[in-house]
Amino acid sequence: MTAFAHFKTSGYLAAIGLLLCSACLAPAQAQSVAPTPAPAASAAAKADTTYKRGDHITLNFNAADIEAVARTMGVISGMNVVVDPRVKGQINLVSEKSVSPQVAMAQFLTSLRMQGFTMVESAGLFKVVPEADAKLQSAAVETSESAPKGAPGGQITTQIFKLNFESANNLVTILRPLISPNNTINANPVNNALVITDYADNLRRIARIIAALDVSNATEVEVIELKNAIAVDLAPLVTRLLESGGVAGAAPGGAAADGGFKTTVIAEARSNSLLVRAANGARLAQIKSLVEKLDRASNQGNGAAGTLRVVSLKNADATKLAATLRAAMGAGSAGAQAAPGAGAAPGGASAPATTTGGQVQADVATNSLIITAPDPQYRQLREVIDMLDGRRAQVFIESLIAEVSSDKAADFGVQWQGALGKIGDGAVGLLGTNFGSGGANIISLATGAALGTALPKPGLNIGIATQYEGKNVLGALARFLESSGSGNVLSTPNLLTLDNEEAKIVIAQNVPFVTGQFTNTGTGNGAVNPFQTIERKDVGLTLKVKPQISANGTVKLTIYQEVSAVDSSSASSANGPTTNKRTIESNVLVDDGSVVVLGGLLQDNFTGNTDKIPGLGDLPFFGSLFNSNSRSRKKSNLMVFLRPVVVRDAASSDRLSMERYEQMLGGMKEAQPAPSQATPINEGPVLPALPAKN
């Protein structure tokens, strides 16, 4: 089987080459052969049939190897063509009449595309590769200003389309079905551009579609001045009508959207105007008509004296805000009356002074303001109210109180007693040492032993007893004791409060303290009526703080923190318990989220006590038999840390609360009792799981 390529030269057709089909040759001959003159051609004919680049050709490839055809097309077009080893198969490429090399190459690319292959250009080298890999190997990148008009239609290339009006993300969903499955389209929201990799002919079609969609339909910003209505009241109403579809053509889910543009209505309180940017001129005309109908004078009211209006507050306190507004209006009226000519009415009559005490009243039940004022003054008041009625930031304050204590004590002593004389002597001498008191004193222990009530002190007690008239008498006592103790106390009180509002948290016991008492101790017949007066005080942990957020994000904190506890050694004292109290009262400045140390206590106490016999107690080695030593050391470290976190919106507050909720829920689950058959109560209380959010 053969395939011929004919070239048209000087008005006639001449066969100049023979391409041997790889299917008909031995493996050693499976290659394309460059066109050569026919053996029977004469010298003149040979000169006339020499192929010149650019001449028209006739294609006749029937079941030819793709690699052989690709090399021949490279010779015809003058391009360096290589074939990827993964490109295998045969191709049919036939033209009924002679065509130019450009058309022949276009037909070749089309045939490759039908079999899942394509050609890409990289540094002047044209590679025939599988279509799925073309987007990774194509080096040709074009912009929308220089579209690939000259590139062959079947060649893979990458083009960047920069959009001026339309949103790139919106066009991705529209254009993706028009892109070949193996090629890509991506949007860059930063510079509003599209990056598309596909065949050149398809990119030209997509370029025309983008040009038709990327047009300016939105109007310029229009300023609508209001005469009677209040801009801050009218803007939410118009926006709500647009969102609900009250204006023709409005799209749900936002102000009317036409062609990807969103109609926006913003109130400008200072000039009492509406700023409108519509999707198109028709939408702008509809909004103007609606505003004109709503911007009408009220039929109620009493002229210059003003009209009653009710303003509902969202965040501010109506009582406090009313007092603030009355004070501001009173200061303004006083200044106006002090000015020359102020208060003069037309015709020369003096106008009565305006009283401001009743112009702004607060309704506590609905947290609203009742305002009586003319329209110009009411607009000024509304501007002030909107500024003061904003959502206030909150401050979450984490306090950490860490206390570490360590106690060590050691006792060592030797005591002994002995009698001098014999039984029956009228006088008996005593010789010995005697240190300490109670259970540490040898005399007390000897007396207790005779009565059967001996209670030695804790530690190692070694004694020697002798019998005297049938009784055991303690003659020597050695005592050794070393004790140590440590404590680690950590408290983390937390609270959340509004900016510039004081908050307080108390975690304590209410301990009674006796402040007075009376007892009738007479022996007469009068009734005995003892009584006591008791005062209860909170003993524990108290945190009181007032935060103030500055414009640069730092937080000023006015802090009072107290940590108190009852001294256990004085719990049963006749005069009442003794409390240990640590207090910090300070003003600090902290960055949002930073940790600051408020104060602390570093204490190290040492106590030593020695009882000894003079002279004998100082002897080397033997002096230990004549003395008693006790030592103790106590160290305590107390530090108070604080960390404020500014919570500016509802999302931050919800996230903070949910983190603490999940933390507490996890702790309760871990603290569940182990299953037991003997004690069938195996469940403890657990917080309910949070509902899933939509």
Side-chain angles (χ1 to χ4, degrees):
M1 187 178 296
T2 60
F4 294 89
H6 298 281
F7 304 87
K8 181 178 181 181
T9 60
S10 303
Y12 63 91
L13 299 177
I16 72 167
L18 177 63
L19 298 178
L20 298 179
C21 178
S22 60
C24 303
L25 297 177
Q29 297 174 321
Q31 58 181 352
S32 62
V33 180
T36 58
S42 62
K46 181 178 180 180
D48 291 338
T49 58
T50 302
Y51 172 70
K52 297 179 181 179
R53 186 169 297 166
D55 290 343
H56 283 51
I57 60 174
T58 300
L59 303 176
N60 187 17
F61 297 99
N62 186 13
D65 185 70
I66 293 179
E67 183 178 1
V69 177
R71 292 179 179 177
T72 302
M73 297 307 298
V75 174
I76 294 173
S77 61
M79 298 186 302
N80 296 324
V81 180
V82 296
V83 181
D84 192 286
R86 294 172 294 177
V87 177
K88 302 292 183 181
Q90 297 177 346
I91 190 172
N92 296 323
L93 186 58
V94 179
S95 62
E96 299 297 334
K97 59 181 181 179
S98 60
V99 295
S100 64
Q102 292 79 11
V103 176
M105 178 59 71
Q107 293 180 3
F108 174 62
L109 294 177
T110 302
S111 299
L112 288 176
R113 184 174 176 179
M114 295 174 62
Q115 297 197 35
F117 307 117
T118 187
M119 180 183 293
V120 296
E121 179 185 2
S122 177
L125 184 65
F126 293 84
K127 298 181 289 186
V128 180
V129 296
E131 185 184 62
D133 295 344
K135 58 180 176 291
L136 303 177
Q137 302 189 32
S138 176
V141 179
E142 306 288 348
T143 62
S144 55
E145 289 79 7
S146 57
K149 296 182 179 179
Q155 181 177 330
I156 293 290
T157 185
T158 299
Q159 187 165 353
I160 301 174
F161 296 91
K162 296 181 180 179
L163 306 179
N164 297 320
F165 305 102
E166 184 58 75
S167 171
N169 290 326
N170 292 344
L171 286 185
V172 168
T173 57
I174 299 174
L175 299 178
R176 189 178 297 279
L178 306 179
I179 307 298
S180 303
N182 289 328
N183 296 319
T184 61
I185 176 174
N186 296 288
N188 183 10
V190 177
N191 60 356
N192 197 35
L194 292 173
V195 181
I196 306 176
T197 300
D198 203 0
Y199 292 97
D201 55 355
N202 195 34
L203 286 178
R204 297 188 190 101
R205 179 170 66 110
I206 291 175
R208 292 192 295 270
I209 296 175
I210 292 176
L213 295 176
D214 188 27
V215 294
S216 176
N217 290 327
T219 64
E220 297 295 333
V221 176
E222 186 80 12
V223 180
I224 304 177
E225 296 183 357
L226 303 179
K227 299 178 181 179
N228 301 290
I230 306 300
V232 293
D233 291 338
L234 194 56
L237 178 61
V238 174
T239 303
R240 194 180 309 165
L241 290 173
L242 294 175
E243 292 176 349
S244 62
V247 177
D258 289 335
F261 290 98
K262 184 178 180 181
T263 300
T264 306
V265 180
I266 301 176
E268 205 287 306
R270 187 184 61 82
S271 61
N272 194 39
S273 303
L274 295 178
L275 305 181
V276 181
R277 185 175 185 268
N280 48 55
R283 180 57 50 81
L284 179 61
Q286 292 173 352
I287 294 176
K288 284 185 175 180
S289 176
L290 176 63
V291 171
E292 183 180 357
K293 294 177 181 178
L294 296 175
D295 186 25
R296 294 181 179 179
S298 175
N299 295 328
Q300 301 178 355
N302 52 356
T307 304
L308 279 172
R309 295 180 176 89
V310 177
V311 180
S312 298
L313 301 180
K314 300 177 182 178
N315 301 286
D317 181 80
T319 304
K320 296 180 180 179
L321 187 56
T324 302
L325 293 176
R326 285 197 295 265
M329 294 171 64
S333 299
Q337 293 175 4
S350 60
T354 303
T355 58
T356 61
Q359 286 187 323
V360 181
Q361 295 294 336
D363 181 63
V364 180
T366 60
N367 195 39
S368 303
L369 296 177
I370 304 173
I371 302 176
T372 306
D375 289 343
Q377 190 177 24
Y378 174 69
R379 285 194 289 268
Q380 293 179 350
L381 289 175
R382 280 305 305 269
E383 182 179 357
V384 175
I385 291 172
D386 292 336
M387 295 177 64
L388 297 178
D389 191 31
R391 179 186 176 91
R392 296 170 61 184
Q394 301 180 93
V395 180
F396 179 73
I397 302 169
E398 296 177 292
S399 180
L400 188 147
I401 305 169
E403 182 175 3
V404 179
S405 61
S406 176
D407 298 336
K408 291 184 178 181
D411 289 342
F412 172 75
V414 176
Q415 304 174 62
W416 51 273
Q417 292 287 333
L420 299 177
K422 295 182 296 182
I423 299 176
D425 292 346
V428 179
L430 294 175
L431 179 65
T433 60
N434 182 26
F435 306 125
S437 61
N441 183 269
I442 189 171
I443 299 298
S444 300
L445 289 174
T447 304
L451 300 176
T453 60
L455 295 174
K457 279 287 187 75
L460 177 62
N461 294 275
I462 301 176
I464 300 176
T466 58
Q467 270 196 348
Y468 185 77
E469 293 184 354
K471 295 182 179 180
N472 293 324
V473 178
L474 187 62
L477 173 65
R479 179 170 176 266
F480 307 88
L481 173 64
E482 182 176 354
S483 62
S484 63
S486 61
N488 186 3
V489 180
L490 179 66
S491 302
T492 56
N494 303 329
L495 57 90
L496 180 67
T497 181
L498 280 174
D499 178 26
N500 212 27
E501 294 287 344
E502 185 180 277
K504 180 180 180 181
I505 181 172
V506 178
I507 305 171
Q509 290 181 321
N510 201 246
V511 179
F513 292 86
V514 177
T515 59
Q517 61 183 358
F518 170 78
T519 304
N520 186 1
T521 59
T523 57
N525 296 327
V528 178
N529 185 23
F531 70 89
Q532 290 181 335
T533 57
I534 297 175
E535 179 184 4
R536 293 186 174 271
K537 295 183 179 180
D538 292 330
V539 178
L541 191 147
T542 301
L543 173 63
K544 185 165 59 175
V545 62
K546 181 179 181 181
Q548 184 177 2
I549 305 173
S550 62
N552 59 357
T554 58
V555 184
K556 178 184 177 183
L557 300 173
T558 302
I559 304 164
Y560 175 81
Q561 190 157 25
E562 176 184 311
V563 180
S564 57
V566 175
D567 189 352
S568 58
S569 61
S570 63
S572 59
S573 174
N575 297 324
T578 301
T579 57
N580 299 322
K581 184 176 179 181
R582 303 178 181 94
T583 302
I584 294 177
E585 189 170 0
S586 176
N587 295 319
V588 296
L589 194 65
V590 193
D591 290 335
D592 180 16
S594 299
V595 179
V596 63
V597 57
L598 299 182
L601 172 66
L602 303 177
Q603 190 174 12
D604 193 348
N605 296 331
F606 174 81
T607 303
N609 186 28
T610 301
D611 294 335
K612 64 180 180 178
I613 304 300
L616 297 178
D618 297 328
L619 294 175
F621 184 74
F622 295 101
S624 300
L625 300 175
F626 302 96
N627 62 27
S628 176
N629 295 319
S630 63
R631 297 178 182 178
S632 65
R633 185 175 183 179
K634 181 177 182 181
K635 297 176 66 176
S636 61
N637 298 335
L638 172 67
M639 284 291 174
V640 180
F641 301 90
L642 190 139
R643 176 177 178 262
V645 178
V646 178
V647 182
R648 299 188 181 276
D649 50 26
S652 301
S653 177
D654 183 68
R655 182 171 58 254
L656 188 65
S657 300
M658 293 305 101
E659 289 178 358
R660 297 301 188 275
Y661 193 94
E662 294 292 346
Q663 180 181 359
M664 184 61 67
L665 179 61
M668 287 187 170
K669 289 182 178 179
E670 293 178 358
Q672 290 297 305
S676 173
Q677 296 294 335
T679 54
I681 300 177
N682 295 320
E683 301 86 12
V686 178
L687 288 171
L690 294 174
K693 293 187 177 181
N694 297 327

